[in-house]
Structures are given as C-alpha cells and as structure tokens.
Amino acid sequence: MIDPISALLDETARREAFPVCRDQIFMAHAGVTVLPRAVAEAMIGYIRQSCEQQQEFAEVLAQIAQARRVSADFIGAHPDEIALLGPTSLGLSLFANGLPWREGDELLCYADDYPANVYPWMELARRGVVVRYLKPEGPGEITPALVEAALTPRTRLVALASCNFLSGYRIDVDAIGRLLRGRGVLFSLDAIQTLGAAPLRVDHVDFLSADAHKWMLGPMAIGIVFVRREHFELLRPTLIGAWNVRSPNFITQPEIAFEATARRYEPGVLNVAGVYGMRAALDLIAAAGLDRVQARILELKRAATEPLLAAGFEFLGPVDGPAASGITTFRHPAREAAAFFKALEERHIGASLRFDRAGAQYIRLSPHFYNTPDEMARVVEVLLGSLHG
C-alpha cells in the first residue's frame, strides 16, 4: 500500500493512491466518499477469492477479528465492545429500540441533526417516551451549557451528532459526556461526520454508531457500532439470529442466550466485503495519523474561507476554533447556491448542495487529507468566477 503521508507530497503517488484525483477534484466527503485504491483493492481481492472458494474461507474470521481490533483502537474502545454493522441508522435504531424505556422517560435530541439521528428517537413517543428537542442559537451549536440547562430528573438519554452535517459545528464530546456521566444520563453519539476526519474517543460515551462511507473513506453499509460493555445487559439486541445467539452445532437451544461480546448485536452474516474495505480504510487513515489528517483538513478549510469571506460569502457554522470541522458551508446573497453548484459540477469538482429548514440553499465543501491547496485554490477560483460571471 502506498504511504498516504508521502502521497500528500508527491503528485504521482497521490493519484495512484486516490485515482479520483486524476480527472476531478472531489470535496464531498461529508456525503459519500470516493474509495481510495487500497480500499477498492481489498474488497476486490475478497470478492475474487469468493469466486474461487466459498465466501467464508479460512481467512475471513481472522479479518473480521482484526477489523474489530482496528475499529476499537480508532475510538479508544475494547474489541469486545465493537459490532461491525452499517448503516449508521441501524446502530442508532438498535440503541433506541433496545433500551428498557419506561413511560414518562425523557430523552434529548436535536431536530436539525441528520434525520437518521432523529427518527429512531422520535418513534419512541409511541412507547410513552417524552422526546424533547434542544434549541441552540445556531445550527448544530450544541454546547455543554445548553445540554445541562435542558436536563431534568427524568432525562434518561441524550442523543447527539458529533458534528452537524450542515453547519459543521463539532460538539465537545468529552465535556458533554462527562456532564452526562455525572448525572447518570446515557449518551448516544452519531459519529459519522467525525470519525476519519478528527480524533474521537469514547471515554465518556455509552453508545456510538458511524458508517464508513464518509470521512472514514470506506464502503457503504458497514461501520462501527460501539456499546459500552457495562450496558450489554441493559441494551437488549432487537435483531436476533444464529450469529448473535449461542447455537452450538447450529442447534436451536431452549432459551435465548446472547454472545458475551458486542457480537450480540450482529444477528447474522456480515457485509464481509465491506469489512475488508473498512479495515483497509482505517489502516490508511491510521498510517497518515489522525492528528495530521485533521490539521490538513483545517488547513484546506482556511484556504477556502479567507478568500470567500473577502468576496462576501456568508458562512454557516464556525470557520475556525475548536468547534470547526472539515465541513465548510456557505452561500452568497447575490447568487443562488444552485448556480455555484452547477459551475462546480461543470468543472468536475465534487461538492454538495444542501438546504436548511427554511429552504435556503448552501454549498458544502468537505475536503480530506489527500486534497491539496492547489485544488482548493481552483475551487475558490471557480466560485469567484461564477459570482462575477
């Protein structure tokens, strides 16, 4: 595998490791990533072997075990606390549906998070749970003080995103987690907009779910689901099959006894090709170093915000500081964002067109560590040209 650090510096190596760079500029990792070569090759290798022998050949279980270890290391967990499941909404639904809620229990979430982290919690109202919504001053600006002010003696769980998908506001996971742990309140985290772009640990998190298809640079429908070991008995699996219930010699037992680890949340056959791909993606990011990855992404963010601010673009969310992330979302009062998006598309630049609740349009850029300052300069050039064209 090509060293991703050298790929930052050498254009030939970069294009070999990230073939998308050959004919386009891709800055939409907060949507669905383009796969690096190492990830695609890992998946292709598994699929090729699967046409030469049965799909569960001897190496597969070892690869699954290694993927758990790599995933655990990525977030500061133990491999026994990792289920290999995707998409993100699957893990979040397992959390919402598996807890023993009592009528009148309260949970806090944010209505303008990505819908996958709202609907599973909203549905609990049918079971008598009181769903309360945080109301920050700006999109995604969930602070420890805001959370603390909203807690009541009946708050059972707080469900948040590590980073808002629209504004890019990155919450203080550790501070909020410590606050909730001190109050005896559970903390569920949708981490898909952070994992792979910035360091994140689960020291003060109870449940986490994140698919690999964004900043982790991995395939779709495979991800990391974390359940703190002390909650295994509290969070009952709601998807049940032969893989997560003990069935010696594939014989149904008189009672359901779940596996002792987070495998208890995996009901059956895994997305093995996805497991191979995600493991390769995490290895790639780990080799680059998450601190360096984050620094590179924020360097690219600054390269966009400074000239665009000078040209009158308006930004949603922080452009710097501890809450800033790789997501950069903006509009211009003189032109619809859809026109900018079209100009970018015509020049083979991958970005995202997004909308807020009021219907306002925004361009969202989300570069990764393999993007370059020259590429960002080209993006800015196209945006300014479209503004004045």
Side-chain angles (χ1 to χ4, degrees):
M1 183 176 70
I2 294 170
D3 176 8
I5 296 176
S6 67
L8 293 177
L9 306 174
D10 180 80
E11 185 62 17
T12 301
R14 187 176 79 97
R15 292 187 177 204
E16 180 66 21
F18 303 96
V20 68
C21 301
R22 294 174 179 175
D23 56 11
Q24 62 177 293
I25 298 172
F26 186 79
M27 294 197 178
H29 298 90
V32 178
T33 187
V34 175
L35 297 180
R37 180 180 297 280
V39 175
E41 288 184 347
M43 299 175 72
I44 291 167
Y46 165 73
I47 292 168
R48 184 176 293 112
Q49 285 181 277
S50 294
C51 75
E52 299 168 351
Q53 54 188 308
Q54 65 175 358
Q55 294 182 62
E56 287 187 328
F57 48 84
E59 178 192 325
V60 168
L61 291 180
Q63 283 289 332
I64 290 172
Q66 183 60 22
R68 288 191 207 280
R69 288 193 288 272
V70 171
S71 298
D73 289 345
F74 210 66
I75 60 173
H78 189 278
D80 286 352
E81 298 174 310
I82 300 297
L84 300 173
L85 295 171
T88 306
S89 55
L90 176 56
L92 298 173
S93 293
L94 287 171
F95 307 154
N97 296 328
L99 289 170
W101 299 98
R102 299 178 296 268
E103 188 168 355
D105 281 346
E106 295 182 2
L107 72 85
L108 289 174
C109 61
Y110 176 47
D112 284 333
D113 267 339
Y114 194 73
N117 196 32
V118 182
Y119 290 143
W121 310 109
M122 184 187 296
E123 176 68 7
L124 292 174
R126 290 162 51 90
R127 294 168 57 181
V129 176
V130 178
V131 182
R132 299 176 58 233
Y133 297 104
L134 294 163
K135 299 187 182 300
E137 291 185 5
E141 294 180 9
I142 309 295
T143 64
L146 180 72
V147 173
E148 184 173 27
L151 296 174
T152 77
R154 303 211 68 168
T155 305
R156 186 88 182 279
L157 179 142
V158 174
L160 299 176
S162 57
C163 175
N164 185 260
F165 79 103
L166 180 61
S167 70
Y169 187 97
R170 193 160 60 95
I171 69 170
D172 189 335
V173 170
D174 285 341
I176 292 173
R178 284 193 297 268
L179 165 68
L180 296 178
R181 183 68 55 83
R183 298 291 186 88
V185 176
L186 296 169
F187 186 19
S188 171
L189 196 66
D190 171 354
I192 195 170
Q193 292 292 5
T194 298
L195 290 190
L200 188 154
R201 291 183 57 87
V202 293
D203 298 333
H204 307 290
V205 175
D206 297 293
F207 311 113
L208 176 148
S209 185
D211 204 63
H213 72 261
K214 297 185 187 292
W215 299 96
M216 280 192 271
L217 301 176
M220 297 183 287
I222 185 65
I224 299 172
V225 170
F226 161 80
V227 177
R228 187 166 296 283
R229 188 198 306 267
E230 66 195 65
H231 299 319
F232 284 174
E233 295 304 316
L234 177 68
L235 183 73
R236 185 172 179 83
T238 51
L239 297 174
I240 299 176
W243 177 251
N244 61 347
V245 178
R246 294 175 184 169
S247 307
N249 298 318
F250 307 106
I251 304 298
T252 300
Q253 301 301 293
E255 295 183 356
I256 290 176
F258 292 109
E259 291 291 336
T261 69
R263 251 190 62 190
R264 62 179 50 213
Y265 303 106
E266 301 168 353
V269 174
L270 300 178
N271 173 7
V272 177
V275 169
Y276 274 68
M278 183 174 75
R279 189 240 166 127
L282 296 180
D283 285 345
L284 182 72
I285 293 171
L290 263 173
D291 288 335
R292 182 171 182 179
V293 166
Q294 181 183 30
R296 174 72 167 204
I297 291 170
L298 293 178
E299 173 193 353
L300 293 168
K301 184 185 187 80
R302 288 189 296 272
T305 55
E306 291 172 3
L308 294 180
L309 279 168
F313 283 83
E314 300 169 347
F315 286 79
L316 193 66
V319 296
D320 55 24
S325 71
I327 291 174
T328 304
T329 306
F330 52 88
R331 63 180 181 177
H332 198 284
R335 194 171 177 87
E336 287 287 322
F340 292 116
F341 183 72
K342 181 180 179 182
L344 293 168
E345 270 197 320
E346 288 174 346
R347 291 157 180 82
H348 307 290
I349 296 171
S352 303
L353 179 65
R354 291 294 181 264
F355 302 82
D356 65 15
R357 186 170 289 277
Q361 301 177 359
Y362 295 88
I363 294 295
R364 186 183 69 183
L365 298 178
S366 46
H368 217 307
F369 78 98
Y370 66 88
N371 291 119
T372 67
D374 286 345
E375 286 180 326
M376 187 58 81
R378 174 59 178 155
V379 172
V380 170
E381 179 185 23
V382 170
L383 290 168
L384 296 180
S386 179
L387 174 63
H388 301 302

